[in-house]
Amino acid sequence: MYNLPSGLRDFPPEIKILRNKIFSKIEEIFKRFGFDPIETPTIEYWDTMKGKYGEEAENKLIWRFKLPYSDKEYALRYDQTVPLARFFSNHRPNLPFKRYVIDKSYRYENPQKGRYREFYQADFDIIGSKEPESDAEILNIVNFIFKEFNFSNYKIIINDREFLRFVFEKNLNINEEKIRKVYTIIDKLDKIGIENVKRELNTVVGELSDKIVEIISLRNQEVIDYLSKYEEISKEINYFNNILDLLNDKGRIEINLSLVRGLDYYTGMIYEAVVEKPRIGSLSGGGRYDNLLKLFTNEEIPAVGGSIGVERLIDAGIELGIFKIDKKTYTEICVIYFEDTFKDAWNICNKLREIGLNCYIDLMRRDFNKQIKYAVDKDIRFLLIVGKKELSENSVLLQDRYTKERIRISINNLEDIYRIVKNIINNSY
Amino acid sequence: MYNLPSGLRDFPPEIKILRNKIFSKIEEIFKRFGFDPIETPTIEYWDTMKGKYGEEAENKLIWRFKLPYSDKEYALRYDQTVPLARFFSNHRPNLPFKRYVIDKSYRYENPQKGRYREFYQADFDIIGSKEPESDAEILNIVNFIFKEFNFSNYKIIINDREFLRFVFEKNLNINEEKIRKVYTIIDKLDKIGIENVKRELNTVVGELSDKIVEIISLRNQEVIDYLSKYEEISKEINYFNNILDLLNDKGRIEINLSLVRGLDYYTGMIYEAVVEKPRIGSLSGGGRYDNLLKLFTNEEIPAVGGSIGVERLIDAGIELGIFKIDKKTYTEICVIYFEDTFKDAWNICNKLREIGLNCYIDLMRRDFNKQIKYAVDKDIRFLLIVGKKELSENSVLLQDRYTKERIRISINNLEDIYRIVKNIINNSY
């Protein structure tokens, strides 16, 4: 028995069909917003990825390796952002460059629910714009996706790295040594609650923890009002207000100074989208990263983007009943034959395929009952029964397994089957 | 400057869009034939792949490696067949199991035209049927695909491993030591021509080369007639005739005893699809492999399948003018604004996205001419001009860049834009 390495998954048809449907819908939305697809290889030189993701990734998480036949050091894609930057520097497309990608990345994490060693992300980035409308567009896409999928209890938490820097580093004057610890603690607010945050902060910054807790308890307009007291940050507040002004669904937005996000490369607006239930962490995250491209191009090129954590989105959606694993096959018709009608059934089956229908015909010479059983197990909705008697009358029987309805169809009018079947199937999905 | 490792490729939007279209069409055809998709991970244990592909693959071609943080030996998928066998043994789906997959495999080949280190294959396999109708279905799919893509000069060469064994090993009595060399030589017939084959054969089997050349020069009914003289092979001939009887497009078939195919695991029918021009090798290949599953399941489980070499298919199709890199974007409308109409344009743009149109609006605060230039460069067909004057009359202007036609649309009837644009775009692709 050969097994899969842990953290890696197979997707049997019913799961793959659901995933295809979800990915198509996400892709549809990216297209709506004027994004186009690119693809980069799974494999990059390790050199390209080195120094981009921080220590933990480099020492524990990146799939990096040499082959027995080469001195080159390779690595599997860790995310889609660094490959995008590399792609951009190699191809230099016109600006703004709006691209989406729905593809796999690889992290050697400890496998657990919602965390896999090979996983899909759906990324959307805008390279070249330093204007708030590009930040707003990213947030509007996220909102559009969650709305389209009928998530009801989601919110999009936003913050700005400039606010964090001003409030904690400049205003509260927390030094470099402590600031990372502070950020790590406040970032956990959603997970561990305000009391625990306060206690942990206290061990790092002492009495300042009261002040910090007060600040990170502010929400929405309170945050803006608080920051507006400081002239030094007015330009950033203004930019942030411009973003807010362009958002489609302001009720879903929560401004919250406790949002930090792990990756070093963010420079401005940052966001995370979360659902109340299930408690699965953020389903999407991203922000502005105006310095990353420079590592690849030696030029200042602003960028902003986001990523849908589709694995978590799918897991959460299934748990919430939004996504249902209810389609086992793309096949629409199971052609049923008898011993003496196989050749006719075969020809009819192939004609229907030419017409545009997804058809199955038994390939194992099984009897009527076993053919039906296969259609039932696979949940193929329509049966097309090719019997001797019907053939002698130049017809076949189309049966809808769901409604039990049977229709006699002339062999000269097989197109009728197309019309009937597609009509019913399109109305039911 | 960071570059890609050799043999790996980026796909910019215009290529990715073409590839998406081709892959969708192939997928559509797989569905027509009653196949459903599965997905297996890119990574397998090396153990799963070991001993399945032959020496050359194991010693030179398979991407195999260890990570710095684990003793496990991993490998990247070399094809889709072994992962299918592993999947089958783990999940044991109902029979027949008909699955398709369009995904990447990895081989550390010397990069050259049409040969990449990461490449897509489109595989379709039927597990569980030992009947000729399953072989026929595989060949019918291949024919369907080439017909659907309007390849004109293709043929599907078929043979049977049982014929090879009978003719060369039993009848001509070529011993084990020499038989591999003989197969390798006759398999090159298409590439090097009959005279060279004869010369090379002569160095291995001496005068027997005349007889061999005679046999491998037979085509179609000549092959059947020749083999029919031998009672010992009558069961296999009968099976083969049953396959032929079920083929949709017999004119495309060439029976040819020189077809060998490299992989060891084939046991019965084998095929390759080739085009006359360009001379790029086979675009699809496959056959029956009744013993492979046993390595995974310890049971006799018959299987037959094929693979479309989509990289070559695409390269050949582009060279033949069948595929055109003529679509740079999925975006249908470029919303054009003026300094004082941005906010209105933004809102209209987002409304159109909700209605279902793929819209772009400039995110860099560029002037009218630069906005138009972007639309032209990207080849976005429609412009939606949101001007002050039109707005004051509660309308916008929709312009078809191709026909130069301009239509005034009321802001209350933005759905009209959907109707007009989708109608024109659906008729043109």
Side-chain angles (χ1 to χ4, degrees):
Chain A
M1 187 78 165
Y2 296 99
N3 287 310
L4 273 185
S6 62
L8 301 178
R9 293 164 297 162
D10 285 328
F11 302 117
E14 66 276 16
I15 305 287
K16 181 70 177 164
I17 287 172
L18 174 65
R19 292 172 68 91
N20 283 353
K21 191 175 160 191
I22 295 168
F23 289 3
S24 292
K25 204 160 182 177
I26 293 174
E27 190 170 2
E28 202 47 55
I29 295 167
F30 291 156
K31 292 178 187 173
R32 299 270 182 92
F33 280 81
F35 287 72
D36 282 310
I38 69 163
E39 182 174 332
T40 66
T42 308
I43 304 158
E44 298 270 355
Y45 281 133
W46 162 239
D47 238 28
T48 301
M49 292 169 57
K50 200 167 59 183
K52 312 300 188 300
Y53 297 112
E55 264 182 42
E56 198 203 357
E58 296 207 356
N59 297 329
K60 289 194 210 160
L61 300 178
I62 293 179
W63 287 77
R64 48 188 275 214
F65 56 85
K66 286 185 180 178
L67 298 182
Y69 358 94
S70 160
D71 282 340
K72 301 272 177 15
E73 203 166 357
Y74 299 101
L76 302 185
R77 189 164 53 210
Y78 185 77
D79 71 358
Q80 296 288 353
T81 310
V82 165
L84 169 64
R86 201 263 315 137
F87 175 96
F88 182 85
S89 77
N90 292 161
H91 299 264
R92 296 311 291 254
N94 285 347
L95 298 183
F97 182 58
K98 296 172 71 174
R99 86 86 181 78
Y100 73 81
V101 65
I102 304 179
D103 211 337
K104 287 173 278 196
S105 293
Y106 299 82
R107 297 183 188 177
Y108 200 74
E109 308 245 23
N110 284 326
Q112 50 179 280
K113 195 173 162 12
R115 188 168 286 181
Y116 309 101
R117 287 182 174 170
E118 174 182 69
F119 59 97
Y120 278 80
Q121 290 172 307
D123 273 37
F124 44 106
D125 292 80
I126 302 167
I127 295 180
S129 169
K130 55 178 182 39
E131 308 297 343
E133 40 270 42
S134 54
D135 305 74
E137 196 157 272
I138 295 299
L139 296 169
N140 280 339
I141 291 172
V142 176
N143 183 61
F144 201 114
I145 288 173
F146 282 86
K147 212 168 68 180
E148 193 78 357
F149 279 120
N150 291 316
F151 279 92
S152 54
N153 279 311
Y154 70 91
K155 61 183 176 183
I156 301 171
I157 303 169
I158 60 174
N159 192 6
D160 195 304
R161 277 280 167 91
E162 299 281 357
F163 297 166
L164 288 171
R165 195 169 307 131
F166 175 76
V167 170
F168 298 103
E169 297 170 47
K170 252 184 109 176
N171 209 14
L172 298 185
N173 205 12
I174 300 168
N175 68 29
E176 224 189 295
E177 188 204 329
K178 291 178 178 166
I179 195 71
R180 275 187 182 266
K181 286 185 194 158
V182 170
Y183 285 156
T184 306
I185 296 165
I186 66 174
D187 204 31
K188 293 190 288 187
L189 175 58
D190 239 31
K191 261 185 231 151
I192 64 175
I194 195 78
E195 284 309 315
N196 288 315
V197 166
K198 193 169 178 175
R199 194 174 313 122
E200 289 193 25
L201 282 173
N202 204 279
T203 67
V204 181
V205 294
E207 297 211 336
L208 213 49
S209 62
D210 289 346
K211 183 69 185 159
I212 296 178
V213 162
E214 191 186 306
I215 293 170
I216 65 172
S217 299
L218 302 174
R219 292 290 177 275
N220 300 325
Q221 193 56 39
E222 297 167 0
V223 175
I224 304 292
D225 291 346
Y226 167 76
L227 292 168
S228 298
K229 290 184 293 191
Y230 301 96
E231 181 58 34
E232 306 98 297
I233 194 87
S234 65
K235 208 181 97 214
E236 286 77 11
I237 298 271
N238 190 38
Y239 186 99
F240 201 75
N241 277 326
N242 282 334
I243 298 176
L244 294 175
D245 187 42
L246 296 171
L247 298 184
N248 284 337
D249 215 349
K250 295 184 181 63
R252 294 295 184 174
I253 300 294
E254 176 183 294
I255 308 169
N256 182 333
L257 288 169
S258 79
L259 179 73
V260 175
R261 286 190 64 66
L263 283 168
D264 281 351
Y265 56 59
Y266 292 114
T267 55
M269 182 278 289
I270 47 179
Y271 84 89
E272 279 184 7
V274 296
V275 286
E276 247 170 52
K277 269 195 287 186
R279 294 184 64 83
I280 198 171
S282 77
L283 301 186
S284 175
R288 178 164 285 283
Y289 50 99
D290 284 347
N291 298 334
L292 181 69
L293 270 291
K294 199 177 178 178
L295 299 176
F296 291 84
T297 60
N298 287 320
E299 274 174 64
E300 305 277 354
I301 298 174
V304 61
S307 180
I308 308 288
V310 286
E311 303 298 349
R312 282 187 189 173
L313 181 90
I314 292 169
D315 287 352
I318 289 173
E319 207 167 317
L320 292 169
I322 290 171
F323 303 138
K324 291 191 184 67
I325 305 167
D326 57 0
K327 193 169 167 164
K328 290 185 185 173
T329 183
Y330 287 124
T331 304
E332 296 157 333
I333 297 180
C334 184
V335 175
I336 307 285
Y337 60 85
F338 301 87
E339 218 179 314
D340 48 2
T341 67
F342 172 73
K343 193 66 192 293
D344 288 289
W346 177 266
N347 290 335
I348 290 168
C349 180
N350 280 304
K351 208 163 282 170
L352 292 175
R353 287 166 176 166
E354 267 172 41
I355 291 171
L357 285 158
N358 301 341
C359 300
Y360 172 85
I361 183 167
D362 180 59
L363 300 169
M364 294 170 74
R365 308 203 173 176
R366 295 187 288 201
D367 66 21
F368 181 82
N369 288 331
K370 284 206 175 133
Q371 291 179 47
I372 302 282
K373 185 176 182 321
Y374 183 89
V376 172
D377 288 345
K378 258 289 210 196
D379 197 17
I380 302 172
R381 179 154 179 176
F382 290 91
L383 306 177
L384 190 77
I385 298 161
V386 183
K388 190 102 184 168
K389 184 167 162 292
E390 286 80 23
L391 278 179
S392 74
E393 292 158 8
N394 206 34
S395 69
V396 288
L397 282 180
L398 180 68
Q399 178 175 337
D400 184 337
R401 281 202 313 103
Y402 292 6
T403 64
K404 310 281 180 212
E405 211 176 333
R406 275 190 177 200
I407 313 172
R408 181 182 295 266
I409 310 252
S410 160
I411 288 180
N412 303 325
N413 299 323
L414 291 178
E415 287 80 7
D416 287 354
I417 299 178
Y418 182 88
R419 205 175 30 74
I420 295 166
V421 168
K422 292 288 180 182
N423 201 19
I424 291 173
I425 284 183
N426 288 339
N427 287 333
S428 72
Y429 293 112
Chain B
M1 187 79 163
Y2 296 99
N3 287 311
L4 273 185
S6 64
L8 301 178
R9 295 164 297 164
D10 285 329
F11 301 117
E14 65 276 15
I15 305 286
K16 181 72 178 162
I17 287 172
L18 173 64
R19 292 172 68 90
N20 283 352
K21 192 176 158 189
I22 294 168
F23 290 4
S24 292
K25 206 162 180 175
I26 294 174
E27 191 171 359
E28 201 48 55
I29 295 167
F30 291 157
K31 291 179 188 172
R32 297 271 183 91
F33 280 81
F35 287 72
D36 283 309
I38 69 163
E39 182 174 332
T40 67
T42 307
I43 304 158
E44 298 270 355
Y45 280 132
W46 163 238
D47 238 27
T48 301
M49 292 169 57
K50 200 167 58 182
K52 313 297 189 300
Y53 297 111
E55 265 183 39
E56 197 201 358
E58 295 208 356
N59 298 329
K60 288 193 209 161
L61 300 178
I62 293 178
W63 286 77
R64 49 189 273 215
F65 56 85
K66 286 185 180 177
L67 298 182
Y69 358 94
S70 160
D71 282 339
K72 301 272 180 11
E73 203 166 355
Y74 299 101
L76 302 185
R77 188 165 51 211
Y78 185 77
D79 71 357
Q80 296 289 354
T81 310
V82 166
L84 169 64
R86 201 263 314 135
F87 174 96
F88 182 85
S89 77
N90 292 162
H91 298 265
R92 297 309 291 255
N94 284 347
L95 297 183
F97 182 58
K98 297 172 70 174
R99 86 86 180 78
Y100 73 81
V101 65
I102 305 178
D103 210 336
K104 288 173 278 196
S105 293
Y106 299 82
R107 298 182 187 179
Y108 200 73
E109 309 246 24
N110 283 328
Q112 49 178 281
K113 194 172 161 11
R115 189 168 286 182
Y116 310 101
R117 288 182 173 169
E118 175 183 66
F119 59 96
Y120 278 81
Q121 289 173 309
D123 273 35
F124 43 107
D125 291 81
I126 301 168
I127 295 180
S129 169
K130 56 176 181 39
E131 309 296 343
E133 42 269 40
S134 55
D135 305 72
E137 195 157 272
I138 295 299
L139 296 170
N140 280 339
I141 292 173
V142 176
N143 182 60
F144 202 113
I145 288 174
F146 282 86
K147 212 168 68 176
E148 194 77 358
F149 280 122
N150 292 315
F151 279 91
S152 54
N153 279 310
Y154 70 91
K155 61 182 176 185
I156 301 171
I157 303 169
I158 60 174
N159 193 6
D160 195 303
R161 277 280 167 91
E162 300 281 359
F163 298 166
L164 288 172
R165 195 168 308 133
F166 175 76
V167 170
F168 298 103
E169 295 168 49
K170 252 184 108 177
N171 210 14
L172 298 185
N173 205 11
I174 299 168
N175 67 27
E176 225 190 296
E177 189 203 329
K178 290 178 179 168
I179 195 72
R180 275 184 184 268
K181 285 185 193 158
V182 170
Y183 286 155
T184 307
I185 296 166
I186 66 174
D187 204 31
K188 291 191 290 187
L189 176 59
D190 238 32
K191 262 186 227 148
I192 64 175
I194 195 78
E195 284 309 316
N196 288 314
V197 165
K198 193 169 177 175
R199 194 173 314 121
E200 289 192 27
L201 281 173
N202 204 279
T203 66
V204 182
V205 294
E207 296 210 335
L208 213 49
S209 63
D210 287 347
K211 183 70 186 158
I212 296 178
V213 161
E214 191 186 304
I215 293 169
I216 65 172
S217 299
L218 301 173
R219 292 291 177 274
N220 300 325
Q221 193 55 40
E222 297 165 1
V223 175
I224 305 291
D225 291 344
Y226 168 76
L227 292 169
S228 297
K229 289 184 291 190
Y230 301 96
E231 180 58 33
E232 307 98 297
I233 194 89
S234 66
K235 209 181 98 214
E236 287 77 11
I237 298 269
N238 189 38
Y239 187 98
F240 202 74
N241 277 329
N242 282 333
I243 299 175
L244 294 174
D245 187 43
L246 296 171
L247 298 184
N248 284 336
D249 214 348
K250 296 184 180 63
R252 294 295 184 174
I253 299 293
E254 177 183 295
I255 308 170
N256 183 332
L257 288 169
S258 80
L259 180 73
V260 176
R261 287 191 65 66
L263 283 168
D264 281 349
Y265 56 58
Y266 292 115
T267 54
M269 183 278 290
I270 48 178
Y271 83 88
E272 279 185 7
V274 296
V275 288
E276 248 171 50
K277 267 195 291 185
R279 292 184 66 82
I280 199 170
S282 77
L283 300 186
S284 176
R288 178 164 285 282
Y289 50 98
D290 284 347
N291 298 333
L292 182 68
L293 270 292
K294 198 177 180 179
L295 299 177
F296 290 84
T297 60
N298 287 320
E299 273 176 65
E300 305 277 355
I301 298 174
V304 60
S307 179
I308 307 289
V310 287
E311 304 297 350
R312 283 188 188 172
L313 181 91
I314 292 169
D315 287 353
I318 289 173
E319 209 168 315
L320 293 169
I322 290 171
F323 302 139
K324 292 194 183 67
I325 306 168
D326 57 359
K327 192 168 169 168
K328 291 183 182 173
T329 183
Y330 287 123
T331 304
E332 296 157 333
I333 297 180
C334 184
V335 176
I336 306 286
Y337 62 83
F338 301 87
E339 218 178 314
D340 48 3
T341 67
F342 172 73
K343 192 65 192 292
D344 288 290
W346 178 266
N347 290 335
I348 290 168
C349 180
N350 280 304
K351 209 162 282 171
L352 292 175
R353 288 166 175 166
E354 269 173 41
I355 291 172
L357 286 157
N358 301 342
C359 300
Y360 172 84
I361 183 167
D362 181 59
L363 300 168
M364 294 171 74
R365 307 203 173 175
R366 295 187 287 201
D367 66 22
F368 181 82
N369 288 331
K370 285 204 175 132
Q371 291 179 48
I372 301 284
K373 185 176 180 320
Y374 183 88
V376 172
D377 288 345
K378 258 287 209 196
D379 197 17
I380 301 172
R381 177 153 181 177
F382 290 91
L383 306 177
L384 190 78
I385 299 162
V386 183
K388 190 100 184 169
K389 186 169 160 294
E390 285 79 24
L391 278 179
S392 74
E393 292 158 7
N394 206 35
S395 69
V396 288
L397 282 179
L398 180 69
Q399 180 176 334
D400 183 337
R401 280 202 315 102
Y402 292 5
T403 64
K404 309 282 179 212
E405 211 176 333
R406 275 192 179 199
I407 313 172
R408 182 182 296 264
I409 311 254
S410 161
I411 288 181
N412 303 326
N413 299 323
L414 291 179
E415 287 79 6
D416 287 353
I417 299 178
Y418 182 88
R419 205 175 30 74
I420 295 167
V421 167
K422 291 289 179 181
N423 202 19
I424 290 173
I425 283 183
N426 289 339
N427 286 333
S428 71
Y429 292 111

